[in-house]
């Protein structure tokens, strides 16, 4: 059974650009969550999608957005990149979603470097 | 506001030792607590999930306990091996529906052969 797949694994952008990251959850999982991991702040919740609807959002600026498609695949977008957006972005999927607080399964992450 | 603390931040032990990693949380009203492992530059691997009604969970050489009333969880690793070297993270799911996991900063474990 395939795990959570994130693409791309690594990318380098410059300030002001935008980036789109993709996440394919485990087959059958309908919930996808996104987290940002930095050395200083650790892991912080970005947002969660369940059945194509954003159900929960963390404390991040509007430059961070996401969506989920009918096949449960999800994308997150960061516009007008800043140096502080450099981080490992992790996607997690679960069967029932955060509202039912099931076990989360994480992907390998997308490492974004902003120059 | 829920806060999760993991002590120590780093730990070095020789191979074969039994060890305990600690996790504490400020609000005892949680749905569950999950322990993860993260290797350098990699994603998180789920190790154990303890529901709020449970006291412990075991998987192989790993045993996790939960004491909600005191806001504490421990991860016990028996007979440690160099392959156990990684960062161990605990995360709690608050009791309010729809809220996200709150993570500790992790304990980085190094097991020497």
């Amino acid at each position: 059974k395939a795990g959570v797949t994130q693409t791309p694994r690594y990318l380098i952008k410059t300030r002001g650009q935008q980036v789109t990251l993709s996440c394919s959850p485990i087959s059958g999982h309908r919930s996808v969550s996104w987290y940002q991991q930095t050395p200083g702040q650790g892991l912080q919740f970005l947002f969660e999608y369940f059945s194509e609807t954003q159900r929960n959002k963390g404390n991040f600026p509007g430059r961070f957005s996401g969506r989920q498609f009918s096949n449960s695949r999800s994308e997150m977008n960061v516009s007008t990149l800043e140096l502080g957006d450099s981080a490992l972005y992790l996607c997690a999927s679960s069967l029932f979603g955060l509202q039912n607080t099931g076990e989360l399964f994480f992907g390998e992450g997308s490492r974004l470097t902003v120059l | 506001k829920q806060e999760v603390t993991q002590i120590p931040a780093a730990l070095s032990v020789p191979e074969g030792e039994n060890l305990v990693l600690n996790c504490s949380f400020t609000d005892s009203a949680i749905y569950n607590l999950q322990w993860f492992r993260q290797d350098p530059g990699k994603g998180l691997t789920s190790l154990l999930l303890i529901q709020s009604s449970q006291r412990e969970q075991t998987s192989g050489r790993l045993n996790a306990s939960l004491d909600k009333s005191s806001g504490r969880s421990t991860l016990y690793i028996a007979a440690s091996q160099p392959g156990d070297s990684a960062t161990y993270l605990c995360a709690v799911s608050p009791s309010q529906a729809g809220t996200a996991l709150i993570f500790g900063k992790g304990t980085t474990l190094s097991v020497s052969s």
Side-chain angles (χ1 to χ4, degrees):
Chain A
K1 189 175 184 181
V4 178
T5 303
Q6 292 189 245
T7 57
R9 291 290 316 280
Y10 304 92
L11 65 167
I12 300 174
K13 294 285 187 179
T14 57
R15 281 179 296 174
Q17 288 187 311
Q18 74 166 12
V19 65
T20 299
L21 309 178
S22 178
C23 172
S24 294
I26 292 172
S27 178
H29 284 192
R30 296 169 62 191
S31 167
V32 173
S33 304
W34 289 89
Y35 289 81
Q36 182 196 64
Q37 186 176 32
T38 59
Q41 298 298 318
L43 275 149
Q44 294 182 288
F45 171 75
L46 281 158
F47 28 65
E48 183 214 3
Y49 287 87
F50 186 85
S51 294
E52 302 179 67
T53 301
Q54 186 183 89
R55 290 203 306 191
N56 197 12
K57 190 177 190 300
N59 189 26
F60 278 82
R63 300 185 296 107
F64 292 81
S65 62
R67 59 177 175 169
Q68 186 179 34
F69 303 96
S70 58
N71 62 358
S72 293
R73 189 177 70 85
S74 176
E75 290 181 347
M76 68 162 284
N77 183 275
V78 187
S79 62
T80 319
L81 284 166
E82 301 177 359
L83 296 178
D85 297 333
S86 295
L88 181 66
Y89 290 88
L90 291 162
C91 168
S93 78
S94 67
L95 190 58
F96 300 113
L98 286 174
Q99 202 145 21
N100 290 298
T101 55
E103 188 173 6
L104 288 192
F105 298 88
F106 281 80
E108 291 290 309
S110 293
R111 181 163 296 282
L112 170 65
T113 301
V114 182
L115 302 177
Chain B
K1 176 188 173 187
Q2 178 75 271
E3 293 183 358
V4 180
T5 303
Q6 291 186 249
I7 295 173
L11 181 63
S12 293
V13 300
E15 182 177 6
E17 271 205 11
N18 302 323
L19 58 101
V20 173
L21 306 181
N22 297 294
C23 172
S24 62
F25 44 96
T26 55
D27 187 345
S28 62
I30 62 171
Y31 268 153
N32 60 36
L33 183 145
Q34 197 166 353
W35 282 93
F36 295 91
R37 167 186 172 140
Q38 185 175 32
D39 292 289
K42 302 287 189 177
L44 276 63
T45 301
S46 176
L47 297 174
L48 291 164
L49 171 69
I50 310 177
Q51 301 293 349
S52 61
S53 58
Q54 298 175 317
R55 295 298 302 268
E56 66 177 330
Q57 281 284 353
T58 298
S59 175
R61 295 183 294 109
L62 305 179
N63 175 278
S65 67
L66 174 63
D67 184 343
K68 272 182 53 179
S69 61
S70 67
R72 292 183 180 181
S73 176
T74 61
L75 178 65
Y76 175 82
I77 302 176
S80 59
Q81 303 170 358
D84 294 331
S85 298
T87 296
Y88 291 81
L89 296 147
C90 77
V92 299
S93 178
S95 63
Q96 300 150 286
T99 50
L101 288 186
I102 299 173
F103 282 85
K105 293 290 181 69
T107 294
T108 299
L109 173 65
S110 175
V111 181
S112 56
S113 56

